[in-house]
Amino acid sequence: MNDAVQRFDRAVDDLIEPWRGHPVVDRVMTTATHAGEFSLIWHTSSLLRGVARGRPDQIVALAIGIGAESLLVNQGLKRLFRRSRPTEAGDERFGIRRPLTSSFPSGHASAAAFAAVALVGWDGRRWAPLWSTMAATVALSRAYVRIHHPSDVVGGVAVGALLGVGARRIFTRLGLD
């Protein structure tokens, strides 16, 4: 199994490498990775949409949900797996913050999938392309800047989506739809 994961990681990194060094792609990916820090992109998006829709309850619900997701991933799963990162501080071509936690699963990817599931649940399929594209860009950016293995990103998306589905059920029970 470990060999298959390593082959997957190498194959995806080989697909990404030709794009590294392209000024526009580098800018998009580094911006996305910075925006994902502390889930800033999701808190900002939630605040803007919640104010525009008159739904402060959803702003609070998503903030609490992301906080719980972060605790589970960063203080639970990462401590359980303790996977080393592909680089200690990311690819030297990109100036990113050095994470304090281990690599698996990607917290950026998990938070992105969690937020996208919650936001699509509230906003419907019409908004799915926006939330999904934002989430995919943030998640992929972590492998792009080499602070996560591609399999960390896949694991993060899976964990975040599952937690997001659970959160949606809770939000519905609480009348937050």
Side-chain angles (χ1 to χ4, degrees), residues 21 92 111 119 150:
E92 65 275 354
L119 292 167

Side-chain angles (χ1 to χ4, degrees), residues 67-89:
E69 173 275 330
S70 179
L71 275 173
L72 270 161
V73 171
N74 292 306
Q75 300 305 316
L77 292 175
K78 285 178 178 271
R79 288 179 183 215
L80 178 67
F81 287 99
R82 296 185 186 270
R83 186 180 192 192
S84 61
R85 293 181 179 274
T87 60
E88 282 300 311

Side-chain angles (χ1 to χ4, degrees), residues 2 27 151:
N2 197 24
R27 176 62 63 138
S151 56

Side-chain angles (χ1 to χ4, degrees), residues 1-175:
M1 176 84 146
N2 197 24
D3 289 340
V5 171
Q6 288 177 0
R7 281 193 306 274
F8 171 80
D9 288 340
R10 274 194 305 273
V12 173
D13 194 61
D14 288 346
L15 288 172
I16 295 171
E17 182 56 35
W19 293 96
R20 292 182 182 113
H22 186 285
V24 173
V25 180
D26 286 357
R27 176 62 63 138
V28 167
M29 290 300 170
T30 56
T31 299
T33 219
H34 289 302
E37 295 289 334
F38 309 105
S39 295
L40 181 62
I41 190 170
W42 307 116
H43 292 298
T44 303
S45 296
S46 177
L47 179 64
L48 293 173
R49 72 167 288 288
V51 167
R53 289 175 170 80
R55 293 302 306 259
D57 56 334
Q58 291 177 349
I59 298 168
V60 173
L62 189 63
I64 291 169
I66 286 175
E69 173 275 330
S70 179
L71 275 173
L72 270 161
V73 171
N74 292 306
Q75 300 305 316
L77 292 175
K78 285 178 178 271
R79 288 179 183 215
L80 178 67
F81 287 99
R82 296 185 186 270
R83 186 180 192 192
S84 61
R85 293 181 179 274
T87 60
E88 282 300 311
D91 190 309
E92 65 275 354
R93 293 174 282 189
F94 312 108
I96 61 167
R97 182 181 68 85
R98 181 181 181 163
L100 300 175
T101 59
S102 63
S103 195
F104 184 86
S106 166
H108 276 61
S110 179
F114 180 91
V117 167
L119 292 167
V120 168
W122 284 326
D123 294 341
R125 297 202 303 173
R126 180 173 160 218
W127 288 86
L130 172 66
W131 301 130
S132 299
T133 300
M134 286 172 60
T137 304
V138 168
L140 179 60
S141 76
R142 301 306 278 171
Y144 187 91
V145 300
R146 283 201 175 111
I147 203 65
H148 278 289
H149 302 279
S151 56
D152 299 337
V153 172
V154 172
V157 167
V159 167
L162 286 171
L163 292 173
V165 168
R168 285 291 311 135
R169 289 183 177 148
I170 293 168
F171 295 161
T172 298
R173 285 187 191 145
L174 294 174

